[in-house]
């Protein structure tokens, strides 16, 4: 946890060198944006959110700055039942766009248990 965040009085954490907070049951994206002194559109962008999702789930990770283009510590993620590409992006602090690019996937791609998702661009041999 980061105790010296200039953004908010909330507890701020870091994942992949990117700050995030943990949503509460009372949160909306608008409330979080106001608390961290950002526009709600930036919160949506930082978290790869569609405009149809109105509020986070309690306990959900909400990034308050741009996520990385790759993960600095993990090279891949093995999919567990129920996970989505958006969940994996949040878990590892990597922009969804890059996870899709690194794995030649689209937002409509279906992932299954046991799939290996690259968290950085592998070099060609």
């Amino acid at each position: 946890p980061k105790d010296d965040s200039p953004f908010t009085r909330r507890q701020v954490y870091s994942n992949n060198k990117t700050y995030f907070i943990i949503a509460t049951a009372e949160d909306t994206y608008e409330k979080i944006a106001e608390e961290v002194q950002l526009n709600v559109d930036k919160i949506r962008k930082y978290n790869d959110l569609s405009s149809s999702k109105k509020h986070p789930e309690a306990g959900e990770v909400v990034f308050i700055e741009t996520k990385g283009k790759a993960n600095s510590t993990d090279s891949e993620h093995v999919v567990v039942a129920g996970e989505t590409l958006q969940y994996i992006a949040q878990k590892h602090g990597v922009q969804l766009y890059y996870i899709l690019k690194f794995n030649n996937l689209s937002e409509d791609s279906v992932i299954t248990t046991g799939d290996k998702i690259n968290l950085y661009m592998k070099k060609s041999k």
Side-chain angles (χ1 to χ4, degrees), residues 19-101:
Y19 289 140
F20 69 92
I21 56 117
I22 303 294
T24 66
E26 298 81 33
D27 277 331
T28 64
Y29 294 114
E30 290 78 9
K31 179 180 175 188
I32 292 169
E34 184 177 318
E35 285 185 20
V36 299
Q37 306 165 37
L38 291 171
N39 178 296
V40 69
D41 292 335
K42 286 192 179 209
I43 294 292
R44 290 186 174 288
K45 181 179 178 185
Y46 297 162
N47 291 280
D48 306 302
L49 298 169
S50 69
S51 59
S52 63
K53 187 167 183 195
K54 300 298 181 199
H55 56 83
E57 303 289 326
E60 185 175 324
V61 168
V62 179
F63 284 91
I64 57 176
E65 62 181 354
T66 303
K67 292 184 281 188
K69 295 179 180 177
N71 190 282
S72 59
T73 56
D74 298 321
S75 61
E76 70 180 17
H77 173 91
V78 178
V79 177
V80 175
E83 291 182 334
T84 64
L85 289 166
Q86 204 273 340
Y87 170 83
I88 294 166
Q90 292 296 93
K91 179 175 181 175
H92 294 283
V94 178
Q95 295 174 41
L96 179 58
Y97 169 84
Y98 289 99
I99 287 182
L100 297 174
K101 183 176 177 178

